[in-house]
């Protein structure tokens, strides 16, 4: 057993002998004590800081007295016992000291025999006072904590009769405090609590001492709410439960948020349709049924045609509204049991279970195509779109959801290539194409890092002026390790579909403009460098800003750059295209319509576009001057362009007869192998130097 520490005695006494007598009296009583004697006020204050257990004070001293010592002590600590030990104190003075807070007094001499018991008693009383005050402090703190707690706190007896509740409990339930006191807790919910609630909870409290669970409760006004309820048992000395203490939280908002998160985890936030995760879960069930019943499950991958242009021209808010309408139309035309979900962007997926024959999926797909025949409405305008659909079948093509999605995606791209607004089924040939696509895509990601791209330049010449160089078209080439030069026809479509064309396009712009500035500085070439803009680049919302930045970084004046845009790109969304062309023209760059005649050839839109040049596609030049159709088309385009104030460039000029024919028709700008093939930078630079020297 650990021995108690000695009692710390502070003696206010000017006589060392008297102090020694006091300590001897304590020792004779059996108290283990250590003392410190002081006789001045400053020493007394310093000693108080060392927390004595009791103060023994003479009343009258030359420099200090017991009355002042008592006053200083009580200012600092109400519980430290103060005992007057004096040889001169009278009864009146003793009463006065007791009223001021002294705990006892006794006279020196024979009365010191009482000192030990008095010290022992007063120290014990002081400890009791401190304990009571600490208990009172904790009681008040607990009452305030219960009173101000945000949780609904209650105390019941062992039969669940409410004895105490805090304001939060009354607020959550809507019942006044007095109305709840004495009521049985489950009865407050009026039948909402589950059957056998008290029995089950009490059993848990008996065995574990605590219980926690989620319940539905009812407020006084009849509204139900979700609560998290925790209860603990209070036992008597025999271990019997005498009270239950509980805390309840209204978790209705949390449960609603939880349900919302669950909904968002399984549904597309824009259309409200199932998302990819939900489709995959549904696929697992339906594919199992298809294999069990010997039937087929169709996976239809759909991509809206030209929807990107609609989104860019009208804004994302309108685009989201139209996606919602498309989702509603798809859902309305499907069979019971079919499930449509949104994959992301403008892509949708339909699961069509229970097919007797794989071709039955075509019937489902046809209805989806038909659902978009009527225009979508936004305010007072009609908006037309269509959908390209790729179909893959489980179990014939595969039984894995991700693989079937990939197969259906490949078939959908085939549908796009076939003219859009059509249906294509997956085939093994498409799979081979998909593997080739992935191979090229993976290699493209590394090509930029490894600097595998290079630019070749093909001159555009002024034929009437001795084939003087008018401009140079920058053409990207890919020297892929182990494959040699890869045709742009093989990798540009992959870059377009994957979105990598934007990064590749930025690289082309930067390098072409930088090279043009270098040629200008060397006096080799003062014309324009011409760069092709892909459809995806053209739809970038900050295209004009990007080009402005490149021109500033490379110090190329705007008139030194020409941008070539295909007719198909412009006609995807003529209104949007018109705005972009106006922004680009405002920069001071030249704008050329590439491959004119192979697309829509809409003169109505053409006259409204801010263009400077038409490039006649090589398909119409090849038959000149013998093919009557090519002659008629080329002649018409040249005359039309001149009437609109546009320059004309003819592509693919390879013979002298073609050159002469075009000159006779008033077209002086051309490019083709007759003048020069596309050449690497070093080679075209030497070619320019030779022409400059000659």
């Amino acid at each position: 057993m650990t021995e108690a520490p000695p009692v710390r005695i502070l003696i206010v006494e000017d006589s060392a002998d008297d102090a020694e007598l006091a300590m001897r009296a304590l020792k004779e009583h059996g108290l283990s004590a250590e003392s410190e004697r002081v006789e001045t006020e400053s020493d007394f204050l310093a000693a108080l800081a060392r927390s004595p257990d009791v103060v023994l004070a003479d009343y009258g001293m030359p420099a200090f007295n017991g009355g002042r010592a008592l006053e200083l002590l009580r200012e600092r600590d109400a519980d430290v016992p103060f005992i007057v030990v004096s040889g001169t104190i009278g009864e009146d003075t003793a009463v006065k000291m007791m009223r001021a807070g002294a705990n006892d007094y006794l006279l020196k001499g024979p009365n010191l025999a009482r000192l030990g018991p008095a010290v022992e008693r007063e120290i014990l009383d002081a400890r009791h006072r401190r304990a009571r005050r600490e208990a009172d402090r904790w009681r008040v703190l607990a009452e305030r904590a219960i009173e101000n707690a945000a949780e609904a706190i209650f105390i019941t007896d062992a039969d669940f009769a409410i004895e105490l509740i805090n304001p939060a409990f009354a607020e959550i339930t809507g019942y006044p405090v007095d109305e709840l006191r004495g009521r049985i807790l489950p009865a407050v919910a009026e039948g909402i609590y589950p059957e056998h609630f008290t029995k089950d909870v009490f059993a848990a409290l008996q065995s574990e001492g605590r219980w926690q669970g989620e319940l539905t409760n009812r407020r006084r006004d009849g509204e139900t709410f979700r609560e998290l309820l925790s209860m603990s048992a209070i036992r008597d000395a025999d271990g019997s439960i005498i009270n239950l203490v509980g805390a309840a939280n209204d978790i209705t908002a949390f449960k609603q948020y939880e349900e919302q998160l669950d909904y968002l985890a399984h549904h597309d936030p824009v259309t409200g349709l199932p998302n990819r995760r939900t489709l995959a879960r549904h696929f697992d069930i339906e594919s199992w049924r298809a294999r069990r019943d010997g039937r087929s499950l169709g996976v239809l991958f759909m991509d809206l045609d030209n929807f990107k242009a609609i989104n860019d021209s009208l804004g994302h808010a309108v685009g989201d509204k139209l996606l919602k309408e498309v989702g509603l139309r798809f859902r309305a035309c499907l069979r019971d049991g079919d499930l449509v979900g949104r994959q992301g962007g403008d892509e949708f997926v339909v699961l069509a279970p229970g097919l007797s024959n794989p071709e039955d999926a075509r019937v489902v797909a046809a209805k989806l195509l038909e659902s978009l025949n009527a225009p979508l409405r936004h305010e007072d305008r009609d908006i037309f779109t269509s959908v390209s659909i790729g179909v893959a079948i489980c179990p014939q093509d595969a039984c894995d959801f991700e693989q079937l999605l990939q197969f259906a995606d490949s078939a959908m791209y085939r549908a796009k290539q076939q003219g859009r607004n059509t249906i294509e089924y997956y085939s093994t040939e498409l799979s081979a194409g998909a593997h080739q696509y992935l191979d090229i895509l993976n290699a493209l990601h590394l090509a930029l890092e490894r600097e595998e791209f290079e630019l070749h330049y093909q001159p555009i010449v002024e034929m009437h002026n001795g084939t003087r160089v008018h401009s140079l078209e920058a053409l990207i080439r890919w020297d892929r390790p182990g494959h040699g030069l890869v045709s742009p026809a093989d990798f540009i479509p992959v870059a377009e579909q994957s979105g990598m064309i934007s990064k590749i396009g930025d690289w082309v712009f930067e390098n072409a403009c930088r090279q043009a500035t270098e040629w200008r500085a060397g006096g080799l070439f003062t014309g324009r460098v011409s760069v092709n803009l892909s459809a995806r680049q053209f739809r970038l919302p900050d295209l004009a800003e990007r080009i402005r930045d490149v021109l500033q970084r490379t110090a190329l004046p705007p008139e030194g750059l020409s941008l070539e845009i295909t007719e198909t790109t412009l006609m995807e969304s003529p209104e949007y295209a018109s705005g972009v062309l106006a922004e680009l023209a405002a920069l001071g760059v030249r704008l050329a319509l590439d491959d004119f005649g192979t697309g829509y050839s809409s003169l109505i839109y053409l006259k409204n576009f801010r263009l400077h040049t038409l490039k006649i596609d090589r398909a119409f030049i090849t038959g000149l001057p013998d093919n009557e159709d090519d002659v008629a088309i080329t002649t018409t385009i040249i005359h039309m362009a001149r009437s609109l104030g546009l320059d004309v460039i003819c592509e693919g000029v390879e013979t002298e007869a073609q050159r002469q024919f075009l000159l006779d028709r008033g077209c002086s700008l051309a490019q083709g192998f007759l003048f020069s093939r596309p050449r690497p930078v070093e080679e075209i630079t030497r070619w320019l130097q030779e022409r400059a020297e000659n």
Side-chain angles (χ1 to χ4, degrees), residues 176-198:
V177 172
D178 293 340
E179 191 172 331
L180 285 176
R181 191 174 291 116
R183 295 185 62 176
I184 303 300
L185 182 66
V188 177
E190 298 181 6
I192 295 295
Y193 276 21
E195 192 177 357
H196 306 304
F197 169 78
T198 54

